[in-house]
Amino acid sequence: MNESPETTEQMKTPEPPRSSSTPRAFDELMALRGGAAPTPGEVTISGSDPLFASPFRIGRTLADALAARAVAANDLWELRTGRRQKIDVDVRAAAATALGGEDMTLVRDAAGEYRPAPVSPDVEHMVSLTQPWRTADDRWFVPHFNLPHLERRVLDVLDCEATPASVEAAVRRWKADDLEDAIAAADACGGIVRTPEEWRAHPHGAHLAARPVVEITKIGDSAPEPLPDGSDPLDGVRVLDLTRILAGPTAALSMAEHGADVLMVTAPHLPQVPPFVRDTSHGKRSTYLDFTEPDQAARLRQLASEADVFIEGYRPHRLEAHGFGPDDLAAIRPGMVYVTVNCFGPGGPFGTRAGWDQVAQAVTGVCDLQGRATGADRPQLTPVYLCDFLTGFLGSFGAMLALARRAREGGTYRVQVSLSQSAMLLQRQGLLDDFDDAPGRLTPTEFERYAVTDDATSYGDLKSLGPVIRMSETPPHWTRTTPALGTSTPTWLPR
């Protein structure tokens, strides 16, 4: 893979004033990190919102999370070498990470030209149905239709066809609270569109508001583990990635960008969204292991016993039922960092429910604010899956903080992040007044500044938005070609 030459040009447009007195996301994350603050000049965040037609500070919040992630990587680099690096993040480039593969992945055609990858028909279908629909009591509800088995559960509750008109009519027959409970009882996904005030007053919103946006808990004792020698902050660190569809895979991708050996683990029968797999697999390896089969579960346990980080994004308590919960892995691998990525966070009334980016936007007030700010006559989802990518960046930030703590004092750690907490963090950054002229994408020149080419992948010759963090000694990068699923053996690379 080849990265386009880096430019030293930086955008210096001042950020519009914030309407909230709450500390910026970067400051909030540095408070969770603890210790001495980065020295003046270590971190530069330049540029400004908006890239998208949204009142939310999407770019600035993502840039803050990326900068915090880079500081955590810098902490590990300092433990290895005694040195710290300069960090630069551009707000517009950070915002573009939330586009996923839509405009930020190009595929070379027969004439040798790079063109945007076609939008997946499955994604178009999901988006057409996963929208706010009016309920019988004149509220709004977002049912979620990703993956065939979950779509079937929602359709069975609604007793309708998989078309926008049929879904709209079916939701209109339900009261919002009844539908939310019925969807949850069916192990399907969906949520009532609440205002931010309603969410803060809701028992689960209040539960999350009392907890940190990234939770790091020591769950066991172990000896300190110095980092192995290496030329990147995470060289020699082994990461098991048991996640699918954006937030969890982004957390693991973030660690691969800093040099970790990331092994994706899935099974042939599990449904996937190919463009999402493609755009969150850069720099990783991929293997098939079905943990419901005893011999394959045994192999996964062996891998876990030699891993440093285990990232999972399954429905709450699903992995505990198969012997891969945090306490299970702490017993076989003292010193493990166990990262959980889900929709609603730990505990609380919704703590056992599954969900997606759109559900988190609905319940926390993001969807309501987006609709009101754009002058729509209904709630709206934001133009990008911002909760997914923000949560992924936060998950890797927490994992690296835990690795640094393990190196200094030992211990086994659990890190927990959620889409809903990310949506709440976004709202704490205040709102923009003017986003009418937001372009919705980077200029070609901006894209080329970060573009990475990757030829002869199973998806074709790719040109993608590469890592947008700049670090002066160890710039994040992808060391391996984008893999097809299941193409690696279930083994670790030599350290």
Side-chain angles (χ1 to χ4, degrees):
M1 292 180 294
N2 299 301
E3 297 191 22
S4 296
E6 184 175 346
T7 177
T8 58
E9 177 186 355
Q10 288 188 325
M11 300 172 60
K12 297 298 184 181
T13 307
E15 179 74 3
R18 290 177 1 115
S19 59
S20 170
S21 60
T22 304
R24 251 183 53 192
F26 181 80
D27 301 321
E28 185 172 335
L29 296 175
M30 288 301 96
L32 293 177
R33 166 180 170 263
T39 59
E42 178 175 320
V43 179
T44 300
I45 300 175
S46 53
S48 65
D49 286 300
L51 188 65
F52 304 114
S54 175
F56 296 104
R57 298 176 188 273
I58 293 173
R60 191 67 192 230
T61 308
L62 289 168
D64 279 6
L66 285 164
R69 187 190 103 188
V71 170
N74 225 3
D75 292 342
L76 296 172
W77 186 244
E78 185 177 27
L79 286 171
R80 288 180 184 273
T81 67
R83 304 191 303 272
R84 296 191 73 82
Q85 308 180 50
K86 300 291 186 182
I87 296 164
D88 291 274
V89 182
D90 179 79
V91 168
R92 284 169 61 92
T97 63
L99 282 164
E102 293 175 14
D103 284 339
M104 295 295 99
T105 294
L106 309 180
V107 182
R108 185 151 51 189
D109 63 17
E113 297 293 326
Y114 284 103
R115 302 190 182 281
V119 177
S120 163
D122 290 340
V123 173
E124 286 188 316
H125 170 74
M126 180 273 291
V127 170
S128 72
L129 302 181
T130 305
Q131 295 292 333
W133 305 107
R134 193 184 291 274
T135 62
D137 49 352
D138 284 327
R139 301 189 69 185
W140 296 87
F141 189 88
V142 176
H144 203 284
F145 291 89
N146 205 9
L147 303 182
H149 68 294
L150 295 178
E151 175 182 288
R152 184 71 262 162
R153 292 175 190 174
V154 175
L155 294 175
D156 286 347
V157 171
L158 293 175
D159 190 23
C160 72
E161 301 299 319
T163 67
S166 186
V167 171
E168 180 178 27
V171 172
R172 193 71 164 120
R173 294 192 291 268
W174 283 81
K175 291 184 177 180
D177 289 332
D178 294 341
L179 181 54
E180 189 170 60
D181 290 342
I183 289 286
D187 283 340
C189 300
I192 296 170
V193 175
R194 295 177 171 87
T195 67
E197 296 76 18
E198 288 172 333
W199 179 243
R200 289 193 293 270
H202 187 276
H204 197 80
H207 168 76
L208 291 182
R211 307 176 77 97
V213 67
V214 179
E215 297 194 43
I216 305 174
T217 307
K218 186 177 181 180
I219 60 173
D221 294 321
S222 68
E225 295 188 37
L227 293 164
D229 293 335
S231 57
D232 284 299
L234 291 177
D235 259 0
V237 172
R238 293 169 170 172
V239 178
L240 278 173
D241 175 12
L242 273 75
T243 67
R244 286 180 291 159
I245 308 180
L246 294 186
T250 297
L253 172 63
S254 299
M255 304 197 77
E257 291 180 356
H258 292 289
D261 178 15
V262 177
L263 184 61
M264 297 187 293
V265 179
T266 187
H269 68 277
L270 293 176
Q272 303 278 357
V273 180
F276 294 165
V277 175
R278 177 195 67 212
D279 298 324
T280 57
S281 297
H282 308 301
K284 303 180 185 179
R285 298 181 298 125
S286 174
T287 195
Y288 283 145
L289 287 174
D290 182 352
F291 58 69
T292 67
E293 297 291 334
D295 59 333
Q296 296 181 59
R299 182 63 198 140
L300 181 57
R301 286 191 183 88
Q302 180 61 38
L303 288 170
S305 73
E306 301 168 343
D308 299 287
V309 179
F310 185 96
I311 306 177
E312 65 91 9
Y314 280 81
R315 180 181 293 273
H317 308 302
R318 167 79 167 152
L319 287 188
E320 283 92 332
H322 292 274
F324 290 96
D327 293 335
D328 301 309
L329 296 193
I332 66 172
R333 190 354 184 156
M336 168 75 74
V337 175
Y338 190 105
V339 182
T340 295
V341 180
N342 61 28
C343 183
F344 291 109
F350 289 176
T352 60
R353 298 185 182 187
W356 303 80
D357 180 289
Q358 298 92 330
V359 177
Q361 288 194 39
V363 301
T364 61
V366 169
C367 195
D368 169 74
L369 288 172
Q370 177 75 24
R372 282 194 277 157
T374 56
D377 60 355
R378 58 188 296 144
Q380 289 185 334
L381 297 166
T382 61
V384 289
Y385 305 122
L386 63 100
C387 296
D388 273 321
F389 291 97
L390 179 56
T391 303
F393 299 153
L394 294 176
S396 58
F397 167 71
M400 286 190 276
L401 292 186
L403 286 171
R405 186 171 169 187
R406 185 187 75 171
R408 292 191 298 263
E409 62 189 69
T412 306
Y413 296 91
R414 186 170 190 188
V415 176
Q416 298 179 90
V417 291
S418 71
L419 302 173
S420 294
Q421 279 278 31
S422 293
M424 295 166 73
L425 176 67
L426 179 75
Q427 292 180 61
R428 289 198 287 275
Q429 309 316 301
L431 301 177
L432 299 170
D433 295 324
D434 183 8
F435 49 86
D436 291 341
D437 297 325
R441 59 180 56 84
L442 298 179
T443 67
T445 299
E446 289 173 317
F447 174 74
E448 289 295 333
R449 190 176 301 158
Y450 298 95
V452 176
T453 58
D454 189 5
D455 294 339
T457 77
S458 61
Y459 307 98
D461 295 346
L462 305 179
K463 180 184 279 190
S464 306
L465 181 74
V468 302
I469 294 171
R470 298 304 195 222
M471 297 181 72
S472 56
E473 290 189 52
T474 62
H477 59 285
W478 304 331
T479 58
R480 300 176 185 89
T481 195
T482 305
L485 290 176
T487 52
S488 295
T489 59
T491 58
W492 291 115
L493 299 176
R495 292 195 199 258

